Amino acid sequence: MGSLSLRNIHKSFGSVEVLKDINLEVDEGEFVIFVGPSGCGKSTLLRIIAGLEDASSGDVLIADQRVNTLPPSNRGIAMVFQTYALYPHLSVRKNMSLGLKQAKQPTKYITERVNLAADMLELTPYLDRRPAELSGGQRQRVAIGRAIVRNPKLFLFDEPLSNLDAALRVNTRLEIARLHRELETTIIYVTHDQVEAMTLADKIVVMQNGRIEQVGSPMELYNDPDNIFVAGFIGSPAMNFFSARLLEMPENIKTAGLRPEAISIKKSGKISGEISHLEHLGADTNVYIDVEGELITVRLFGQRDYEIGSTVYLGFSDDDVFIFDEAGRRVRN
């Protein structure tokens, strides 16, 4: 297994700075996810760790070894891409074993590693098939198996589930979580999907505009965000933000936030609004309420029905209100 240290990483393409002073420590065996919107720099950072891009400045250490000048093949990493990157003319067995053959590993060792990975990923019946004969989910498992056979210090995943349909994403996500438990290896995983981040990660790194906004466990980020961006990015449905004047806050407080599940609908109260839309999801109902021109989402458990256009009141505890200053920083009590 391997730890990872990123120290003062900067990356520019010409005059455009895409990564700005990235510092991060990843312990052995951790499952760490880089999450953020498109263009935030998360995939560029992963490529720098892999050696596919050079940092403009700063150091990358894998297992306490500085690897800035090492090629990808010598860094002890294995990478899984969203496009699978399988050789179409090779069987599953040959796709999975190719890296070890190129490294001139003994045939017996290669066979053992391929059989172990195939068994873990339930690919044994498909070892002699070619990628075209497999489903999308099976191809992604082959790509993961190709990484497993190399027994790397770090597994690097670059949005591996984005090409799969919703059901396959859930199943493959569970498989990746199981593999992490079984292999006890270090995983660095990039996604724009905060649900993937919340359900898989030991530690989430939230990025925006080339910077790290906050690092923490899923529930730390959910319960104690540092700023508006993290508060709004983590959680589904997203946190509601509205003018603090609705709650008669002090002058320095500009924005208040409430999670949809922290709000109830009452027959009376201080804040009223008009129901503009309902989303019936079966187990939950999302109710959208227009409060003085600001749209508030309320997530209710179970099946509920309200008349569109009717006036309702919002119920919530003051302890559930997040408050932010003019710069969008969280104001803590």
Side-chain angles (χ1 to χ4, degrees):
M1 293 191 296
S3 58
L4 171 70
S5 294
L6 302 177
R7 300 179 182 174
N8 307 114
I9 298 293
H10 290 258
K11 177 64 178 178
S12 297
F13 293 108
S15 61
V16 180
E17 193 175 21
V18 295
L19 292 174
K20 306 163 188 176
D21 196 27
I22 300 295
N23 288 277
L24 181 67
E25 296 293 327
V26 177
D27 294 331
E28 289 189 359
E30 277 194 308
F31 196 135
V32 176
I33 293 188
F34 299 164
V35 69
S38 297
C40 72
K42 56 188 185 295
S43 290
T44 300
L45 184 56
L46 192 75
R47 290 173 63 82
I48 287 173
I49 296 168
L52 301 175
E53 295 274 1
D54 292 326
S56 301
S57 63
D59 291 320
V60 178
L61 287 81
I62 296 176
D64 297 322
Q65 178 188 8
R66 186 177 181 273
V67 298
N68 291 42
T69 59
L70 293 182
S73 58
N74 292 341
R75 295 193 177 198
I77 59 100
M79 194 160 182
V80 179
F81 300 91
Q82 72 180 80
T83 54
Y84 316 141
L86 302 177
Y87 291 98
H89 63 290
L90 298 181
S91 67
V92 168
R93 186 191 311 276
K94 290 181 178 178
N95 265 287
M96 291 171 64
S97 64
L98 185 60
L100 296 182
K101 286 184 177 179
Q102 292 173 335
K104 303 187 185 306
Q105 296 289 341
T107 300
K108 182 180 179 182
Y109 175 76
I110 293 174
T111 300
E112 288 175 352
R113 293 297 302 172
V114 169
N115 288 343
L116 174 65
D119 184 56
M120 293 177 71
L121 294 165
E122 300 181 355
L123 287 172
T124 302
Y126 310 104
L127 282 172
D128 295 318
R129 295 190 186 183
R130 293 184 179 181
E133 301 173 282
L134 305 176
S135 68
Q138 289 167 337
R139 291 178 201 174
Q140 190 58 280
R141 278 189 278 157
V142 174
I144 295 170
R146 182 178 54 193
I148 290 173
V149 299
R150 297 184 60 187
N151 196 25
K153 297 174 184 175
L154 289 180
F155 282 95
L156 306 181
F157 288 80
D158 189 8
E159 305 211 33
L161 309 186
S162 60
N163 286 340
L164 304 180
D165 63 34
L168 275 177
R169 279 201 301 274
V170 173
N171 290 338
T172 309
R173 193 168 72 214
L174 293 174
E175 287 180 0
I176 292 172
R178 176 179 58 82
L179 282 171
H180 178 245
R181 290 193 298 270
E182 292 181 6
L183 296 171
E184 298 182 339
T185 193
T186 309
I187 294 178
I188 311 296
Y189 186 111
V190 163
T191 182
H192 64 276
D193 185 339
Q194 61 93 20
V195 174
E196 280 181 41
M198 292 289 286
T199 54
L200 284 174
D202 298 320
K203 180 189 292 181
I204 297 175
V205 179
V206 183
M207 297 182 64
Q208 180 186 210
N209 297 329
R211 297 186 184 277
I212 293 177
E213 293 285 345
Q214 191 174 352
V215 178
S217 71
M219 297 318 297
E220 284 172 347
L221 298 184
Y222 183 84
N223 292 320
D224 194 20
D226 283 345
N227 54 50
I228 279 182
F229 178 78
V230 175
F233 198 87
I234 299 297
S236 180
M239 182 181 286
N240 296 292
F241 298 108
F242 49 92
S243 174
R245 64 178 174 78
L246 293 177
L247 301 180
E248 299 179 0
M249 291 285 183
E251 186 65 26
N252 67 310
I253 305 302
K254 296 300 180 183
T255 304
L258 273 169
R259 297 230 177 255
E261 58 272 25
I263 309 173
S264 59
I265 293 180
K266 303 290 187 181
K267 294 182 179 179
S268 62
K270 294 181 180 179
I271 299 177
S272 65
E274 183 179 290
I275 293 178
S276 62
H277 184 64
L278 297 174
E279 287 181 342
H280 297 284
L281 303 176
D284 297 313
T285 304
N286 291 335
V287 184
Y288 294 88
I289 302 172
D290 186 326
V291 179
E292 298 186 19
E294 301 189 62
L295 196 62
I296 304 296
T297 305
V298 179
R299 181 182 183 184
L300 302 176
F301 179 74
Q303 300 178 22
R304 309 294 184 92
D305 202 11
Y306 293 94
E307 183 178 348
I308 301 297
S310 62
T311 298
V312 293
Y313 294 85
L314 305 186
F316 54 87
S317 167
D318 290 343
D319 292 338
D320 292 327
V321 178
F322 294 76
I323 55 177
F324 305 90
D325 64 17
E326 291 182 355
R329 294 184 296 260
R330 172 93 177 279
V331 179
R332 293 177 171 88
N333 296 331

